[in-house]
Amino acid sequence: MKKGAASVEGVEVKVWQVPEILSEEVLGKMGAPPKTDAPVITPQELAEADGVLFGFPTRFGMMAAQMKAFFDATGGLWREQSLAGKPAGLFFSTGSQGGGQETTPLTAVTQLTHHGMVFVPVGYTFGAKIFDMESVHGGSPYGAGTFAGDGSRWPTELELEHAFHQGNYFAGIAKRLKGGSA
């Protein structure tokens, strides 16, 4: 996703993570991976972005609690409509094929809608590869995705290509909406 967005000339990409709300004990019992060294975002930093691609794991067919808690903390931005008109996209990981590759983005779109953000789905712009039936892969017209399984499965080459495409596609649209040509 980051590589795809950064491939659009003049686009600066920042990777953030939302604050952790679960205890180390609970995270350990879940088998959660260690946190990255990406900085933790604040709602105000979200308001400063020209566009946002939200990525998160799925829990029971919807975004993880950490992401929902972050969105809940954006009430001040909602009140001021600070995110209105900003492009936003989604990408996700699920534990299984039936684990939320479509329900997760569908339930997440409500957050974007209340903020007046412009949802930019990847649609079928990835072309015929999204219809590949020779390999197991995540993703949908709502966004790139992967199947994480128990956490030991890494994205396939096809899933990474889909993510690159979505990042590039989204950044081009965000750049056009900001006023530059892509």
Side-chain angles (χ1 to χ4, degrees):
M1 200 65 64
K2 178 182 177 182
K3 289 177 183 178
S7 72
V8 175
E9 187 177 333
V11 171
E12 178 187 352
V13 180
K14 293 182 181 178
V15 175
W16 302 87
Q17 60 183 324
V18 298
E20 182 57 70
I21 61 169
L22 300 176
S23 70
E24 290 298 325
E25 179 184 3
V26 170
L27 292 169
K29 288 179 180 178
M30 291 174 61
K35 294 294 172 193
T36 69
D37 59 354
V40 174
I41 193 168
T42 66
Q44 189 53 45
E45 288 165 319
L46 185 64
E48 295 165 5
D50 294 327
V52 184
L53 280 165
F54 295 102
F56 39 81
T58 297
R59 296 290 182 265
F60 304 108
M62 63 184 81
M63 71 178 68
Q66 295 89 330
M67 194 70 218
K68 177 64 170 73
F70 178 74
F71 273 118
D72 287 348
T74 63
L77 299 176
W78 166 80
R79 187 174 40 258
E80 300 295 325
Q81 284 297 284
S82 300
L83 303 179
K86 287 184 187 287
L90 304 167
F91 62 102
F92 32 82
S93 65
T94 61
S96 66
Q97 291 177 339
Q101 291 281 316
E102 290 204 348
T103 60
T104 299
L106 282 172
T107 57
V109 165
T110 60
Q111 307 296 320
L112 310 180
T113 302
H114 282 271
H115 278 290
M117 298 181 89
V118 179
F119 178 48
V120 181
V122 70
Y124 289 99
T125 62
F126 188 48
K129 290 181 180 183
I130 197 162
F131 300 107
D132 177 8
M133 297 304 242
E134 298 301 315
S135 63
V136 174
H137 61 89
S140 71
Y142 301 101
T146 188
F147 299 120
D150 63 1
S152 62
R153 182 182 183 273
W154 289 93
T156 65
E157 195 59 41
L158 182 61
E159 290 168 336
L160 293 172
E161 286 179 39
H162 194 189
F164 182 94
H165 170 76
Q166 183 180 356
N168 177 273
Y169 177 77
F170 178 85
I173 290 174
K175 183 176 178 180
R176 283 195 302 273
L177 288 173
K178 186 178 178 194
S181 60

